[in-house]
Amino acid sequence: MVVSGTDTGARMRVLVYSDNADTREQVRLAIGRRPAADVPRVEFVECATAPVVIRKLEDNDPAAAIDVAVFDGEASPVGGMGLCRQVKDEIYRCPPVLLLVGRRDDGWLATWSQAEQVVSHPIDPVALAESLAELMRQRVAALSG
């Protein structure tokens, strides 16, 4: 990842996990190329299964590093909440995770999962973009310092 959000070549890799192709598309469309003017452009990495997510997060190649992840809590057979908890416990320096939950009342489960941000279904493009931009800013600051 290139750290400066003003550098036109700067990119952050955002992994989007959902077994539902429509949900992955909604996330991509809500985020666009850049969720905020002060963060780098987004390069999406889409995953439909939990084993692929784990493989991508464990990849030691700096060019393939995931900067932020978006997990669908409603994914099946492995839900995003359980997967989030697993990767937070098992992946060294796991990137921040934004969790999509089915109901606002699932917030306590999101806390259990150790997700850094939570957005409810149906996807609100503004809330999703703002939450992702915040995680991207935090990631840039963590990698810079």
Side-chain angles (χ1 to χ4, degrees):
M1 181 212 51
V2 178
V3 179
S4 170
T6 58
D7 178 358
T8 57
R11 296 207 184 276
M12 290 187 87
R13 292 173 54 90
V14 175
L15 183 143
V16 179
Y17 164 65
S18 179
D19 66 314
N20 185 323
D22 290 336
T23 300
R24 293 192 309 269
E25 180 180 26
Q26 288 175 15
V27 169
R28 281 193 332 270
L29 292 174
I31 294 168
R33 287 192 250 173
R34 178 180 278 163
D38 65 331
V39 298
R41 289 183 176 266
V42 170
E43 177 183 332
F44 290 103
V45 177
E46 292 189 44
C47 298
T49 66
V52 174
V53 169
I54 292 169
R55 234 183 357 262
K56 296 285 185 187
L57 292 176
E58 289 179 333
D59 191 339
N60 290 325
D61 179 2
I66 301 299
D67 295 298
V68 180
V70 179
F71 289 177
D72 180 5
E74 304 301 306
S76 179
V78 178
M81 288 184 231
L83 182 59
C84 182
R85 176 70 181 228
Q86 179 183 349
V87 299
K88 290 296 183 174
D89 288 344
E90 296 177 2
I91 306 285
Y92 179 66
R93 293 188 180 167
C94 184
V97 176
L98 186 156
L99 189 60
L100 303 173
V101 296
R103 301 177 312 245
R104 187 164 295 283
D105 293 343
D106 288 340
W108 71 273
L109 282 170
T111 300
W112 167 84
S113 74
Q114 301 177 25
E116 284 81 2
Q117 292 280 349
V118 179
V119 174
S120 299
H121 280 290
I123 293 173
D124 174 350
V126 174
L128 181 62
E130 287 175 354
S131 294
L132 182 68
E134 180 59 31
L135 290 180
M136 291 172 73
R137 287 181 199 104
Q138 291 171 11
R139 186 71 167 173
V140 167
L143 293 174
S144 298

